[in-house]
Amino acid sequence: MSCRSVRAFTSVKLHTLIAISGVLAAILVPETATCAPKPLLPLMTAPSSSPPSRQALLKAALASCEQRFDPADNLITTNGASPGYHTRVKKGQLVHSTLISAQYAQLLLMSGSPEEVIRASSILERLLDLQVTDPISIHYGIWGWFSEEPPEKMAPADWNWADFMGARFAEILHAHAAALDPALVRRLQASLRHACNAIVKRDIGPHYTNICAMGAAVTLAAGELLDDPAFLAYGRRRLAAQRAALVANGGVPEYNSPHYGTVFILELERVLRLVADPAARADAEAMRRRMWELTASQFHPGTGQWAGAQSRIYHDRLAPDPALLIWQRTGLRPRGVKESTLTLNPDFLFHLPALACPPDLVARFAADTSAPFELEQTWMAPAGDKPAVQLRTWFAEDATLGSVNNATTWVQHRPVTAYWRDSEAGIASAKVELLKDGRAFASGRVRILQNGPCLLLVLGLATGQGDWHVSLDRPADGRFSSEDLRLRVVLSSSHLRRTPADSKGPWTLAAGDRRLVIHPGLLLFDGLPGSWETGTSTDNNDEVYVDAILHQGPRRTFAPHELAETCVALGLELLSADQPAATSAPQSTAEGNLRRWRWDPVKGEIEAPVRLQP
């Protein structure tokens, strides 16, 4: 089926798909089954392939931590790494991690031998000494990521550590207080109180999904563990506000994030495990179901991937934590997920036995997608001058293409994702990214229209955003410098098919039996035309790309709002080997400061400003 016959596809809204999932469950799941229907497609393994047991995960996690334990400092060592913010620690520098050490202490207490309890106690005493407990300090209640770098030396400190470390201490006090010396228990209780005071003072709302839920879980648990009605009431209000926001918007700000979706579900499970308060439990369970609805709707059985455009994403393919979440809670194991490659993240031990995915949603993880269809979801309702966040995902048996209507080009955003089977067991993946001097550049904005396996994408620059991070490294004067600025469509596969390159386009990126076809449109930087380029990544022979080069040459300093028209337009199709490609290119018309974009295979048009306002 070509893009030109896109109207033949079935398009469903999210609430419709969830209803369909219920029907599928009734048809596909035997009456005796609770959460493990027979998978229909080859990239999900049989339910008999059980996830690793709690004991197996505990043993492996302990072994990993013990190799890195420093008995002289009673902490876990790790090689320093930075996401580009918060820490000044150099990559590869040997440091001691506070969070991993807290997790190790929990693992030791879960195992529970007398020697392990002694070691866990020593670790906890060391961690307690590293918390800022002076209520006058701006860093009150938190820790540094590493013992070598206390909060005041970070760039900047990470206040999330009150939530992360508070969650570990709440878990320990809830499950293991009886095994610990009473004096240590009192110190842990005092530390949890400091962390909760920091959480309450910061008062994160539903706009930051994981930390909102984690802070609610910590304060709720502390309210009951410390017999503190103020903490309990605060956590109850915070969780209720998050549920109200989820109901109002339909989704969360970190739309379709495999990482955040996984952590959010785990935090809601934490509430259900640690907290007795009926109102909090009701809110947690309602949100847990909603997140499973969203997760199930976006899973593509044919590739075993989390389909669609994604926010807060750290891997190009399904990462170990989300894969383990699906395996543990549905009984279905995505193909390619091996026990030897699974995460050793102790969180998955703290949450066992696992709360199952709601049984009526499990069938969606193995649903038949041989008849192509589209899913349209609204994750965030419009607010003020911010448009709604809408995802559109096309599903076929062996392939999926997804996009979001409006997004930044931050490295943790994937405004376009594509996956398809390129061999019996292999998966090809494709994405779109904006690169400045070879590194992701956050101050871009893409607008996208999609119909079926076709989409129209328009890139412009944005004001008020950062360089590498969307907000933490905003230049004070709004100016950036670059020798090279380009939009890249990149395909990664171990089964690439090399195709001839035409300097004028359209261009083909092919793997297995499918291909991406990229149709070039207008390309301008500061009002001047750019150029297009195809190639193979220098550091990865399994990656090929098509680049729209906005600027290449002497270093140039620019502020996005001072530039004349700067844009890239392209059409993209995901086709099988024998499907004909579109014959037209994206077109546009400008009137005043507004340009309208169209492309024949896609219904509707995109509007974007010719020049930005300061």
Side-chain angles (χ1 to χ4, degrees):
M1 187 177 296
S2 71
C3 285
R4 292 185 292 280
S5 60
V6 67
R7 293 182 182 179
F9 296 131
T10 301
S11 181
V12 293
K13 302 288 187 179
L14 176 60
H15 59 79
T16 306
L17 184 61
I18 297 304
I20 292 173
S21 293
V23 174
L24 286 173
I27 295 172
L28 300 176
V29 184
E31 289 184 4
T32 56
T34 58
C35 65
K38 180 181 179 181
L40 301 181
L41 294 174
L43 287 193
M44 296 295 285
T45 59
S48 59
S49 177
S50 300
S53 68
R54 181 178 185 272
Q55 191 59 35
L57 284 173
L58 177 60
K59 182 179 179 181
L62 281 169
S64 175
C65 290
E66 285 163 5
Q67 292 175 357
R68 296 181 288 161
F69 180 65
D70 178 3
D73 205 14
N74 284 319
L75 294 173
I76 293 288
T77 60
T78 187
N79 290 319
S82 171
Y85 42 89
H86 286 315
T87 183
R88 302 177 192 270
V89 168
K90 302 299 183 183
K91 182 178 180 180
Q93 178 182 344
L94 190 67
V95 289
H96 296 79
S97 168
T98 53
L99 181 57
I100 299 175
S101 297
Q103 292 173 334
Y104 181 39
Q106 287 180 278
L107 294 171
L108 291 165
L109 291 169
M110 292 170 72
S111 186
S113 72
E115 295 79 12
E116 288 169 320
V117 172
I118 291 172
R119 176 174 284 189
S121 298
S122 299
I123 293 170
L124 293 171
E125 294 280 8
R126 178 74 174 105
L127 291 171
L128 289 166
D129 291 339
L130 294 173
Q131 185 184 27
V132 179
T133 58
D134 179 359
I136 300 176
S137 170
I138 61 170
H139 300 117
Y140 170 59
I142 69 173
W143 289 256
W145 286 4
F146 311 115
S147 64
E148 292 80 359
E149 188 181 41
E152 64 271 16
K153 293 185 178 180
M154 295 178 69
D158 188 350
W159 273 263
N160 291 348
W161 248 234
D163 307 81
F164 281 111
M165 297 292 285
R168 309 307 171 217
F169 287 1
E171 293 275 3
I172 289 171
L173 287 168
H174 180 269
H176 305 293
L180 300 174
D181 184 86
L184 177 56
V185 170
R186 289 191 293 273
R187 288 196 71 192
L188 287 168
Q189 290 171 335
S191 176
L192 180 59
R193 186 176 298 279
H194 294 314
C196 286
N197 285 333
I199 290 169
V200 172
K201 181 178 180 180
R202 190 181 180 204
D203 196 26
I204 289 296
H207 67 281
Y208 195 169
T209 301
N210 289 355
I211 296 304
C212 183
M214 190 180 295
V218 172
T219 51
L220 282 162
E224 295 183 352
L225 289 167
L226 306 179
D227 193 21
D228 189 317
F231 284 154
L232 184 63
Y234 173 82
R236 189 188 298 124
R237 289 194 304 272
R238 181 156 159 166
L239 205 63
Q242 188 163 29
R243 179 183 180 182
L246 182 59
V247 170
N249 290 302
V252 296
E254 304 86 358
Y255 56 83
N256 198 35
S257 168
H259 176 74
Y260 270 51
T262 296
V263 174
F264 191 21
I265 288 173
L266 294 177
E267 289 307 318
L268 296 171
E269 291 182 3
R270 194 190 307 279
V271 173
L272 294 171
R273 185 176 60 260
L274 299 186
V275 178
D277 182 76
R281 293 180 63 84
D283 287 337
E285 178 56 30
M287 288 191 285
R288 189 181 77 92
R289 177 178 175 84
R290 178 56 176 163
M291 290 308 299
W292 274 114
E293 288 177 350
L294 292 167
T295 302
S297 71
Q298 288 294 156
F299 188 78
H300 182 241
T303 59
Q305 296 298 311
W306 196 306
Q310 298 162 350
S311 171
R312 304 309 291 263
I313 176 75
Y314 308 115
H315 302 86
D316 290 337
R317 292 177 175 84
L318 190 67
D321 281 10
L324 182 55
L325 180 85
I326 292 169
W327 191 8
Q328 282 184 336
R329 283 137 176 86
T330 69
L332 300 174
R333 178 180 182 177
R335 175 75 65 168
V337 177
K338 301 177 181 179
E339 290 191 29
S340 60
T341 60
L342 283 173
T343 180
L344 299 181
N345 181 352
D347 266 349
F348 286 93
L349 286 77
F350 307 149
H351 296 275
L352 291 179
L355 283 175
C357 168
D360 59 304
L361 302 177
V362 172
R364 177 64 186 87
F365 287 93
D368 185 354
T369 58
S370 57
F373 68 91
E374 290 180 80
L375 170 66
E376 181 181 350
Q377 296 189 55
T378 297
W379 278 74
M380 291 296 292
D385 60 351
K386 294 183 178 180
V389 177
Q390 296 174 319
L391 272 65
R392 199 169 185 93
T393 311
W394 172 77
F395 293 85
E397 181 178 7
D398 68 320
T400 178
L401 174 69
S403 65
V404 63
N405 62 320
N406 194 305
T408 74
T409 54
W410 184 22
V411 68
Q412 293 184 22
H413 286 174
R414 296 285 192 278
V416 175
T417 62
Y419 301 105
W420 66 90
R421 296 203 300 261
D422 59 8
S423 61
E424 182 177 349
I427 302 298
S429 67
K431 62 183 179 181
V432 176
E433 55 188 350
L434 181 62
L435 303 175
K436 183 171 76 69
D437 299 332
R439 193 172 187 235
F441 183 44
S443 283
R445 181 160 296 280
V446 291
R447 297 169 173 85
I448 302 172
L449 280 177
Q450 180 180 343
N451 287 140
C454 314
L455 61 83
L456 169 64
L457 179 148
V458 176
L459 166 83
L461 297 184
T463 58
Q465 296 176 187
D467 191 326
W468 167 252
H469 192 276
V470 73
S471 61
L472 290 180
D473 60 352
R474 291 172 181 154
D477 60 358
R479 296 179 180 277
F480 305 94
S481 68
S482 176
E483 295 177 347
D484 189 284
L485 183 64
R486 61 182 65 206
L487 181 73
R488 171 167 291 182
V489 181
V490 60
L491 169 64
S492 175
S493 168
S494 57
H495 295 82
L496 294 173
R497 288 191 291 112
R498 309 293 172 176
T499 59
D502 184 333
S503 60
K504 296 182 179 179
W507 300 281
T508 296
L509 303 177
D513 294 330
R514 285 193 174 270
R515 70 196 197 278
L516 290 176
V517 181
I518 294 94
H519 301 262
L522 187 63
L523 167 55
L524 297 172
F525 181 76
D526 200 15
L528 300 176
S531 61
W532 297 83
E533 178 180 281
T534 64
T536 301
S537 297
T538 56
D539 57 349
N540 187 348
N541 201 45
D542 288 340
E543 285 188 355
V544 290
Y545 60 80
V546 174
D547 284 354
I549 303 173
L550 291 130
H551 170 67
Q552 188 177 45
R555 181 162 296 278
R556 176 169 177 177
T557 299
F558 62 91
H561 69 275
E562 294 177 353
L563 296 174
E565 186 169 14
T566 297
C567 63
V568 180
L570 61 85
L572 184 148
E573 304 174 277
L574 176 54
L575 305 173
S576 60
D578 58 352
Q579 286 179 277
T583 56
S584 64
Q587 303 294 321
S588 68
T589 57
E591 182 178 344
N593 196 46
L594 188 68
R595 186 177 287 277
R596 293 183 173 87
W597 304 84
R598 299 171 301 283
W599 187 38
D600 290 343
V602 176
K603 295 178 290 184
E605 64 180 19
I606 292 175
E607 294 184 349
V610 172
R611 298 192 64 161
L612 298 173
Q613 300 300 313

